């Protein structure tokens, strides 16, 4: 979607005034010049002419001639390359509602009172000394936070223009990455020391320096971080203790399971021995019964070899009517032997 289409959409959906963030000063000026749209009515245009004439009377060198036609259409640019007088004109006209669209760099996102209903972010990456990098979370949030005018709007809008390489997925990645830690950029130098000593006494200069954000990070901020680290260490210790107890319980369960398995194996072995003893007792009982039923020693001697083999096979087998309940131990007198039906 081209720039003119975006502006038309903003105008139709009543999302103006808006700030369009572009990472290049040159592109800010070119975008304002090439925006061939009229966003103001005749009355607002007349007020812009008066503001421009006043600036020309006070500081003619501050007037940017190339941007005057765009200014009269309700569009302008704002960045560090503009003279302070021109930037003051743009800010004043935007606050009055005379300017509907301002192309600005990221420096406008902080410290300037230019409330807008909508912010447009055209680039989610920029060139640096280390190559092309995505915008930090804090900077993207700062630019998006310019949307919504206090006392006028209950809702602010942020439009991220789909680029060639970045779009909605990249924006989601930056937002979900979380904020970066705040670092102090305050540094002391010889000029700072001389300026402080020329205005304050030594104790007053020390008190002045103690109020900096860098001193806070080294003092109160460091204590807060140590407290948070101590709390995290305690929580980690409790978690490690719980994990260790859980591990001991697991080892005990494993040992109990192994002992149960061992006892089951011993029980199966005892049942096997009991079965063998019962079988031997039944064979002896059958052998004694057959000996009593025999006609005599002479008759037994006269049995042929075939009959003896049959008797041995009959004695070695278990008749169906004499099958015992093998689940009862032979030394257990509480349970009598039971005969199973054939």
């Amino acid at each position: 979607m081209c720039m003119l289409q975006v502006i038309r959409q903003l105008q139709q959906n009543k999302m103006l005034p808006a700030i369009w963030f572009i990472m290049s000063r040159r592109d800010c000026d070119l975008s304002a010049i090439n925006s061939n749209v009229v966003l103001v009515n005749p009355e607002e245009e007349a007020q812009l002419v008066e503001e421009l004439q006043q600036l020309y009377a006070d500081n003619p060198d501050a007037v940017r001639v190339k941007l005057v036609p765009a200014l009269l259409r309700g569009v302008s640019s704002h960045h560090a390359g503009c003279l302070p007088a021109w930037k003051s004109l743009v800010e004043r006209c935007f606050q009055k509602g005379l300017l509907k669209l301002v192309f600005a760099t990221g420096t406008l996102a902080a410290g300037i009172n230019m409330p807008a209903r909508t912010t447009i972010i055209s680039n989610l990456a920029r060139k640096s000394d280390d190559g092309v990098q995505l915008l930090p979370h804090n900077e993207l949030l700062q630019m998006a936070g310019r949307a919504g005018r206090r006392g006028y709007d209950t809702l602010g809008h942020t439009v991220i223009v789909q680029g060639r390489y970045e779009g909605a997925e990249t924006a989601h990645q930056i937002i979900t990455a979380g904020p970066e830690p705040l670092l102090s950029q305050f540094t002391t130098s010889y000029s700072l020391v001389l300026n402080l000593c020329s205005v304050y006494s030594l104790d007053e200069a020390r008190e002045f320096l103690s109020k900096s954000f860098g001193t806070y990070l080294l003092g109160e901020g460091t204590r807060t971080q140590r407290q948070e680290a101590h709390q995290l260490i305690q929580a980690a210790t409790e978690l490690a203790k719980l994990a260790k107890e859980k591990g001991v319980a697991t080892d005990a369960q494993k040992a109990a399971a192994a002992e149960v398995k061992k006892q089951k194996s011993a029980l199966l072995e005892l049942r096997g021995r009991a079965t063998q003893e019962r079988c031997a007792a039944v064979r002896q009982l059958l052998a004694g019964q057959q000996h009593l039923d025999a006609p005599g020693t002479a008759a037994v001697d006269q049995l042929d070899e075939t009959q003896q083999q049959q008797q041995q096979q009959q004695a070695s087998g278990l008749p169906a009517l004499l099958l015992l309940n093998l689940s009862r131990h032979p030394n257990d007198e509480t349970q009598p032997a039971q005969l199973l039906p054939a």
Side-chain angles (χ1 to χ4, degrees):
M1 183 177 292
C2 66
M3 179 182 62
L4 296 179
Q5 291 178 332
V6 174
I7 296 175
R8 293 298 184 188
Q9 290 290 333
L10 295 175
Q11 189 177 20
Q12 293 174 5
N13 291 280
K14 298 180 180 180
M15 298 172 66
L16 297 175
I19 301 176
W20 194 312
F21 288 103
I22 301 177
M23 301 305 161
S24 170
R25 300 178 185 178
R26 178 174 176 274
D27 291 339
C28 288
D29 294 338
L30 292 177
S31 298
I33 295 172
N34 297 329
S35 59
N36 297 321
V37 291
V38 178
L39 303 178
V40 296
N41 54 38
E43 295 179 359
E44 293 173 338
E45 184 178 358
Q47 295 182 26
L48 287 172
V49 171
E50 293 180 1
E51 293 285 347
L52 192 60
Q53 289 176 350
Q54 184 66 34
L55 175 64
Y56 186 79
D58 296 339
N59 191 353
D61 295 334
V63 178
R64 305 189 67 185
V65 179
K66 294 182 179 180
L67 291 173
V68 169
L71 181 73
L72 297 179
R73 295 194 306 268
V75 182
S76 184
S77 63
H78 187 290
H79 52 75
C82 303
L83 293 177
W86 178 264
K87 290 193 293 185
S88 298
L89 171 68
V90 173
E91 294 170 11
R92 185 170 60 254
C93 292
F94 193 85
Q95 293 173 5
K96 292 181 178 180
L98 301 178
L99 288 178
K100 308 299 181 180
L101 180 62
V102 172
F103 293 92
T105 56
T107 55
L108 181 63
I112 298 178
N113 183 22
M114 288 183 61
R117 179 175 295 177
T118 305
T119 56
I120 303 100
I121 303 175
S122 59
N123 298 323
L124 294 175
R126 62 185 176 187
K127 293 181 180 180
S128 64
D129 296 337
D130 298 330
V132 180
Q133 293 183 349
L134 296 178
L135 292 177
H137 172 90
N138 294 352
E139 187 170 344
L140 177 62
L141 196 64
Q142 185 71 28
M143 290 188 290
R146 303 297 298 183
R149 298 170 298 176
R150 180 178 298 177
Y152 293 93
D153 303 321
T154 58
L155 181 67
H157 304 277
T158 299
V159 179
I160 297 177
V161 181
Q162 176 70 42
R164 185 176 181 181
Y165 302 104
E166 304 92 14
E169 295 182 357
T170 307
H172 182 267
Q173 177 183 351
I174 296 174
I175 294 172
T176 55
E180 298 84 11
L182 296 178
L183 301 177
S184 174
Q185 302 298 325
F186 179 78
T187 56
T188 57
S189 60
Y190 293 106
S191 60
L192 176 63
V193 173
L194 293 175
N195 290 330
L196 290 176
C197 292
S198 64
V199 178
Y200 303 109
S201 64
L202 184 59
D203 294 336
E204 291 175 344
R206 288 176 177 174
E207 183 181 359
F208 177 83
L209 294 176
S210 65
K211 297 179 180 179
S212 67
F213 183 63
T215 305
Y216 169 80
L217 291 179
L218 295 176
E220 184 64 26
T222 304
R223 284 195 297 270
T224 303
Q225 291 179 354
R226 285 199 298 265
Q227 293 177 358
E228 294 177 354
H230 182 66
Q231 294 176 358
L232 291 175
I233 291 174
Q234 288 182 344
T237 304
E238 293 294 333
L239 291 176
K241 183 178 179 181
L242 292 175
K244 185 177 180 180
E245 292 177 355
K246 185 178 180 181
V248 171
T250 303
D251 294 339
Q253 292 175 358
K254 291 180 179 180
E259 184 65 22
V260 170
K261 185 176 180 180
K262 181 179 179 181
Q263 294 296 335
K264 285 183 178 180
S265 300
L267 180 59
L268 292 176
E269 185 178 357
L270 291 175
R271 285 183 178 179
R273 293 179 182 177
T275 301
Q276 294 177 0
E277 292 176 0
R278 290 182 187 130
C279 291
V282 170
R283 291 192 188 97
Q284 293 178 0
L285 179 61
L286 293 176
Q289 185 66 29
Q290 291 175 0
H291 180 72
L292 293 175
D293 294 340
T297 305
V300 175
D301 294 338
Q302 294 177 359
L303 292 176
D304 54 7
E305 183 179 356
T306 302
Q307 292 177 349
Q308 291 179 358
Q309 292 178 355
Q310 291 177 357
Q311 291 177 357
Q312 292 177 357
Q313 291 177 1
Q314 185 177 4
S316 61
L318 294 177
L321 292 176
L322 295 178
L323 285 176
L324 296 176
N325 183 8
L326 300 181
S327 63
R328 184 183 69 85
H329 194 274
N331 296 330
D332 190 359
E333 301 297 339
T334 61
Q335 297 182 1
Q338 299 178 0
L339 296 179
L340 301 180

